[in-house]
Amino acid sequence: MIPEHKIQEVLERVDLVGLISRHVDLKKAGREWKACCPFHQEKTPSFYVVPEKRFYFCHGCRASGDAVSFVQRYLGKTFLDAVRDLARELGVDLEAEQDPSMRERQQIKEATDQAAEHFRAMLWQQDEGRSARAYIASRGVSEETAMAFGLGWAPLEWASLTERFQKLGMLEWAAKAGLVLKRNSGDGYYDFFRSRVMVPIRAPEGRPIAFGGRLIGADEGPKYLNSRESRLYNKSETLFGMDQSRDEIRKRKAAVLVEGYFDAIGLHQVGVRHAVALCSTNLTAGHMQVLKRAEARELILLLDGDSAGLAAVERLSGPLLAAGATARVALLPQGDDPDTFARREGQEGVERLLEGAHPLTSHLFASLLPEGKAASFEEKMAALERLKPVVGQVPVGLVRATLFSAVAEHFGWRPADVEAALRSKVPLPKPASGDAPPSSPNRPAPPLEKPPPALECFYVGAVLKEPRLMARDTFRVCDELSHMGLRMALAHATSGHGANDALFESSEAVKRGIESALRQLPSEPVPLEAAFLSICREIMVRRIDERLVYIKRATEQTPGAFDLTEETRQLLAERVELLALKKRVLEELKPASSGTKAPMQPV
């Protein structure tokens, strides 16, 4: 992906008049240039180039845009090829400005896609995947659920996946992804995952970025084995099952957190579809950001009722309290895990358990000091020691002060004494691993990205929902998009990569904008098309109105009609054409279903 600020540099440096004049006979017209339009047959010039604004437009066929869109339209180039051609001509080095890891990230992505397909195919082979299918069935996972989560099988052979990558010429890429390892002696590679049921770990957009493998039918190796971190996969910013649960989390405004992949899969199968699982033992600020983007306002910890489950509450309390998150704890009966409980009790049983979950601090205090004020001095001191690492993760402020007061109330001590005791050995909060590293002179902070306009997000979101809507864009509104990040996402999606891949490649700001639009757009084809036409109409009308305002300001100080300059006459003629164009836009883009409006809410 080309950085947005480099595309802007290309547009700022290109001589738009010089570029277009290679193909069109432009004539000076005041501060603008005009010609017969190269995109349709006409005898009277209605094609204008405005160097000051860096755009062109035609009043006849409504063609408009910037230098990139001109190259796209006139020379039949794709968006990315048009940018690259202009950059090469201008001497703008796009490759130098890309993140050095971008190429490696792309290679890992393609290798991970290949591995996911290989594992999936192995699982459903009649003989090869029989033992894996038997294990999956023993966990109560149906074929439909297994397919939905993309489960697979890594055979016991040492080089099953390696041979596939060798044939594809992608061995080095697979090694970067941690899918194959170099042999200790001699040449060649061998498979990292062997004799394991494979669980793809996916990004929220649905693309596989890593794997978890459960050992079966062999004695060598750990019971569970996960992909190592890579340019594509950061376990401190990834929650398993987010691709399947995102819509339900938004609907309920809550998420259920479990610790195992099959626990999350089992909950989904019985209908608890807002369950996600950690890909590590720790909960980080990165995980909280993922949940925040999915609009989760509450997190319910569904944990085993044994000592390990109680220890997990203590381990997860610090990050949750530090984030100021609303959290509750639901403990399973002794001997149960979420998977087995869900199979036995079904969705209703799980929902009852979740409804009875206790607030995090109440559960924490009760487990650390069950007798509360009546506990002995020694018991209170032991509980206080266990609280120190929890409090140590909470930054100074209102949450921390309130926590001290709540501890004091439960212990029956004075808040000042509790605060002094907890502060005595409380470590300073460390930055979460998911936090971005600070900028330095050797690594300057990247340019701040301009937030995408809400209306343009709705346009791109509608096309991602239904690509065929592009054919209804008779006024080429796609060329009117001002945000380069959105234009990149649109180009990626319409070049055959699909909506999920376009979101996967987008920046966080663009991703948030498009996802917000997707949630608000209608799902049914007819209302979606009506909304799309409304969006196109609104964008075009806004562009026309902006130009009309400019013309008004430029001509309002003109003298009488007999003293008009040539430039003023052209502007007034353009105003008449724009008003006619606005009328056509309002008529031609009138939705077939009256009363259906685009959801023009801020993103």
Side-chain angles (χ1 to χ4, degrees), residues 66-82:
D66 52 30
V68 173
S69 72
F70 181 84
V71 172
Q72 280 184 265
R73 192 194 298 255
Y74 192 82
L75 299 178
K77 301 275 188 178
T78 66
F79 177 83
L80 296 177
D81 285 343

Side-chain angles (χ1 to χ4, degrees), residues 47 66-67 87 95 100 119 123 134 197 211 252 318 320 335 367 403 416 449 466 490 494 506 533 557 560 599:
F47 179 82
D66 52 30
E95 296 295 329
F119 296 142
L123 176 64
V197 170
F211 300 94
R252 297 196 187 209
L320 288 168
S367 62
L403 181 60
E449 184 183 9
E466 181 47 75
L490 188 65
T494 55
S506 297
L533 294 179
Q557 302 297 327

Side-chain angles (χ1 to χ4, degrees), residues 509-532:
V510 170
K511 191 180 297 184
R512 285 195 299 272
I514 295 176
E515 286 180 342
S516 178
L518 287 170
R519 291 194 297 274
Q520 298 179 63
L521 286 163
S523 298
E524 295 301 317
V526 173
L528 179 62
E529 180 175 339
F532 179 71

Side-chain angles (χ1 to χ4, degrees), residues 233-249:
Y233 170 57
N234 184 343
K235 63 186 179 183
S236 65
E237 296 177 352
T238 306
L239 289 170
F240 173 77
M242 201 66 204
D243 58 310
Q244 296 281 344
S245 61
R246 188 169 49 172
D247 291 343
E248 188 70 11
I249 289 175

